[in-house]
């Protein structure tokens, strides 16, 4: 990156803490990223100096809070290049965004025997909501397979389409393999079959330019906390022509135009999907986080993380008995691995004692674990503030643990 990485690290107070007396090496960014001071300050400032419920009050504070909240929506719109803020629905996160879409889309457009296509590398949050819909409505779930490098088989994908296919729902970047799926091409294939496509961008949005118009995505979802923003906030992007046709998800305040016991009419987009008080403080935090990313440039961040990932792959492969899962030609800043027959949990726990935070387990992708024939992996995932020297610490840590076994 052109900017000084040490300066970036200073923006993230947590990075200077120690764990078990060791400097923290935080490599669990795929689970959640750390927060720059300006994001946390924005949350505190708004609580202290603006706080009031949005969209409801004539009073000064309520209007100011509403302006901030809607300005955040505009920041998100620009960040993903949506056509209009009507297409940006605030949710609690990726998981809620997918549940919203599955529920509303499933109610309106799917009948018994209809089909959704997902991939073998989905996070549980893009599997289980469809299974719940399957239990409710009798829809079928078709699964795109992958090769041993962790790349989806696009020929097989084509073959899954039938006249009962109603939607495709795929992950942009795998949270386990790091594979960057060719979603633009996959969306075009879905469109050629006359069906829309949902993109789970939870692991792509922090690491690469995501332009919904360029991708021609019909729906796209992500969480604020994975892109340096606060927990509890997420986004469902949807093309206006689709969102217009979908019924509301939850009922309550704010999503209505008029309520009587005889008949209720619903609010316009995007408020139709935002029942109840939104996390208007959290949306300010998300906007600040996106401004922060813009300030450094997503392309520069991507280049830095690419360099880190390449270096980490090279160094990890020097370790005897190292097995890396995911060798796709296009890959993101996530590396899953196992060493010899050391249990992933043991390796993760011992690395933790050295101050190194990695993820262990099935990473909410058990069907993918079944495909790989394993129970879990250790996962290191990088962010803009990580350094090569931290990777050296990880490699030294793994070597040390390996010697103990
Ligand atoms: N999809 C992917 C690919 C993920 O990696 C995650 C989280 O790890 C999710 C969905 C769920 O995100 P959240 O827990 O923020 O709703």
């Amino acid at each position: 990156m052109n900017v000084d990485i040490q300066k970036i690290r200073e923006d993230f107070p947590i990075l200077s803490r120690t764990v078990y007396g060791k400097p923290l090496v935080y490599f669990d960014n795929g689970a959640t990223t750390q927060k720059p001071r300006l994001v946390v300050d924005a949350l505190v400032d708004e609580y202290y100096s603006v706080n009031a419920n949005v969209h409801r009050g004539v009073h000064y504070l309520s209007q100011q809070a509403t302006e901030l909240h809607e300005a955040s929506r505009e920041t998100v719109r620009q960040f993903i290049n949506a056509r209009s803020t009507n297409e940006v629905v605030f949710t609690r996160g990726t998981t809620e965004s997918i549940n919203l879409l599955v529920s509303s889309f499933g109610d309106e457009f799917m009948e018994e025997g209809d089909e959704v296509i997902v991939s073998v590398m989905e996070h549980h949050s893009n599997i289980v909501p469809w299974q719940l819909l399957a239990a409710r409505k009798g829809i079928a779930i078709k699964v795109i397979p992958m090769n041993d490098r962790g790349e989806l088989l696009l020929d097989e994908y084509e073959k899954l389409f039938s006249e009962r296919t109603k939607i495709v729902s795929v992950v942009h970047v795998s949270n386990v393999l790091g594979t960057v799926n060719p979603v633009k091409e996959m969306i075009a294939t879905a469109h050629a079959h006359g069906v829309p496509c949902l993109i789970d961008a939870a692991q792509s949005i922090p690491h690469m330019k995501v332009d919904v118009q360029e991708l021609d995505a019909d729906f796209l979802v992500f969480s604020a906390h994975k892109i340096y923003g606060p927990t509890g906030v997420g986004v469902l992007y949807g093309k206006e022509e689709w969102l217009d046709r979908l019924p509301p998800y939850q009922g309550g305040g704010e999503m209505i135009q008029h309520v009587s016991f005889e008949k209720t009419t619903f609010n316009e987009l995007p408020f139709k999907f935002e029942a109840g008080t939104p996390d208007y403080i959290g949306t300010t935090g998300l906007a600040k986080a996106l401004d922060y990313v813009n300030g450094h440039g997503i392309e520069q961040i991507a280049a830095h993380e690419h360099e880190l990932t390449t270096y980490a792959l090279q160094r990890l492969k020097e370790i005897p008995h190292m097995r890396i899962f995911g060798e796709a030609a296009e890959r993101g800043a996530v590396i899953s691995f196992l060493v010899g027959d050391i249990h992933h949990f043991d390796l993760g726990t011992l690395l933790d004692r050295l101050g190194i935070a990695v993820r262990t387990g099935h990473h909410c992708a058990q069907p993918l674990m079944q495909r790989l024939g394993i129970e879990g992996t250790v996962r290191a995932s990088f962010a803009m503030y990580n350094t090569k020297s931290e990777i050296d610490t990880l490699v030294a840590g793994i070597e040390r643990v390996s010697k103990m076994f």
Side-chain angles (χ1 to χ4, degrees):
M1 234 182 316
N2 292 336
V3 286
D4 181 355
I5 196 84
Q6 286 312 323
K7 270 191 91 172
I8 287 182
R9 291 179 69 82
E10 282 163 22
D11 292 338
F12 293 80
I14 205 170
L15 296 180
S16 57
R17 70 162 287 176
T18 55
V19 172
Y20 301 114
K22 307 274 188 324
L24 169 69
V25 172
Y26 187 76
F27 282 159
D28 196 16
N29 296 288
T32 199
T33 51
Q34 299 303 343
K35 319 304 170 199
R37 194 187 303 276
L38 62 80
V39 166
V40 181
D41 284 351
L43 305 180
V44 175
D45 285 351
E46 190 168 345
Y47 272 123
Y48 281 163
S49 59
V50 182
N51 183 48
N53 209 331
V54 292
H55 298 141
R56 292 162 198 218
V58 290
H59 62 80
Y60 185 86
L61 289 186
S62 174
Q63 295 198 1
Q64 208 182 351
T66 303
E67 274 167 27
L68 277 172
H69 182 58
E70 291 308 318
S72 302
R73 203 188 298 276
E74 170 60 18
T75 303
V76 174
R77 183 201 70 72
Q78 285 179 23
F79 196 79
I80 60 173
N81 193 29
R83 288 165 201 83
S84 147
T85 49
N86 291 351
E87 301 184 320
V88 177
V89 177
F90 285 125
T91 64
R92 286 193 304 120
T94 305
T95 302
E96 189 179 58
S97 296
I98 297 176
N99 276 278
L100 187 169
L101 199 274
V102 173
S103 172
S104 293
F105 188 92
D107 278 353
E108 187 69 17
F109 292 111
M110 296 183 87
E111 298 297 336
E112 188 176 346
D114 284 342
E115 296 163 3
V116 54
I117 297 176
V118 302
S119 84
V120 67
M121 62 178 79
E122 299 307 320
H123 187 277
H124 293 165
S125 61
N126 194 25
I127 299 173
V128 183
W130 296 110
Q131 289 176 327
L132 294 175
L133 182 68
R136 256 192 352 260
K137 286 197 112 171
I139 65 145
I141 301 168
K142 298 288 189 73
V143 183
I144 312 165
M146 66 177 199
N147 63 24
D148 290 340
R149 289 191 303 280
E151 295 162 329
L152 293 180
L153 299 175
L154 297 186
D155 290 350
E156 299 299 319
Y157 168 52
E158 273 273 8
K159 288 186 210 152
L160 292 178
F161 284 90
S162 77
E163 70 282 359
R164 301 306 301 267
T165 308
K166 287 292 169 354
I167 188 166
V168 173
S169 190
V170 286
V171 70
H172 195 175
V173 173
S174 162
N175 66 315
V176 176
L177 307 165
T179 307
V180 181
N181 289 316
V183 289
K184 186 173 177 181
E185 200 181 326
M186 294 176 77
I187 291 167
T189 304
H191 290 170
H193 287 88
V195 303
C197 194
L198 163 70
I199 302 299
D200 173 355
Q203 297 292 345
S204 58
I205 204 105
H207 305 292
M208 63 181 67
K209 180 75 197 144
V210 174
D211 179 327
V212 292
Q213 292 193 62
E214 206 252 328
L215 293 175
D216 202 16
D218 302 282
F219 307 101
L220 184 135
V221 298
F222 65 94
S223 301
H225 71 96
K226 291 187 196 284
I227 181 164
Y228 313 107
T231 51
V233 182
V235 170
L236 164 68
Y237 158 82
K239 280 184 184 164
E240 199 162 345
E241 61 261 36
W242 275 114
L243 292 183
D244 263 336
R245 293 159 70 197
L246 295 181
Y249 174 50
Q250 294 179 326
E254 201 50 44
M255 50 76 71
I256 51 84
Q257 216 156 41
H258 178 77
V259 178
S260 72
F261 282 111
E262 290 70 41
K263 184 175 163 58
T264 289
T265 53
F266 302 122
N267 206 339
E268 60 205 24
L269 289 176
F271 310 111
K272 181 171 84 171
F273 295 106
E274 295 179 352
T277 300
D279 187 351
Y280 53 87
I281 306 274
T283 56
T284 299
L286 168 58
K288 283 283 172 204
L290 298 182
D291 287 344
Y292 184 78
V293 167
N294 281 332
H296 292 291
I298 191 79
E299 274 86 11
Q300 275 92 325
I301 293 171
H304 171 66
E305 292 174 348
H306 181 72
E307 201 180 314
L308 284 180
T309 309
T310 308
Y311 180 69
L313 282 169
Q314 175 212 319
R315 292 281 346 258
L316 288 169
K317 283 178 185 169
E318 291 165 10
I319 298 172
H321 312 297
M322 171 61 67
R323 272 197 296 163
I324 289 176
F325 298 90
E327 298 270 10
E330 284 283 323
R331 63 164 6 275
V334 175
I335 304 179
S336 274
F337 58 89
L338 287 172
V339 184
D341 52 12
I342 307 175
H343 195 275
H344 52 85
F345 184 72
D346 293 336
L347 183 50
T349 306
L350 290 165
L351 287 173
D352 177 51
R353 289 280 159 173
L354 302 172
I356 305 165
V358 289
R359 195 71 166 183
T360 62
H362 54 62
H363 315 295
C364 299
Q366 281 182 321
L368 175 59
M369 294 298 129
Q370 283 154 22
R371 165 65 179 81
L372 295 170
I374 54 177
E375 275 178 24
T377 71
V378 178
R379 180 186 75 182
S381 49
F382 310 124
M384 64 190 294
Y385 40 67
N386 288 126
T387 65
K388 284 187 181 170
S389 110
E390 289 182 305
I391 289 166
D392 293 336
T393 307
L394 171 69
V395 170
I398 297 171
E399 280 168 342
R400 191 165 153 193
V401 173
S402 294
K403 286 199 187 103
M404 293 164 59
F405 279 83

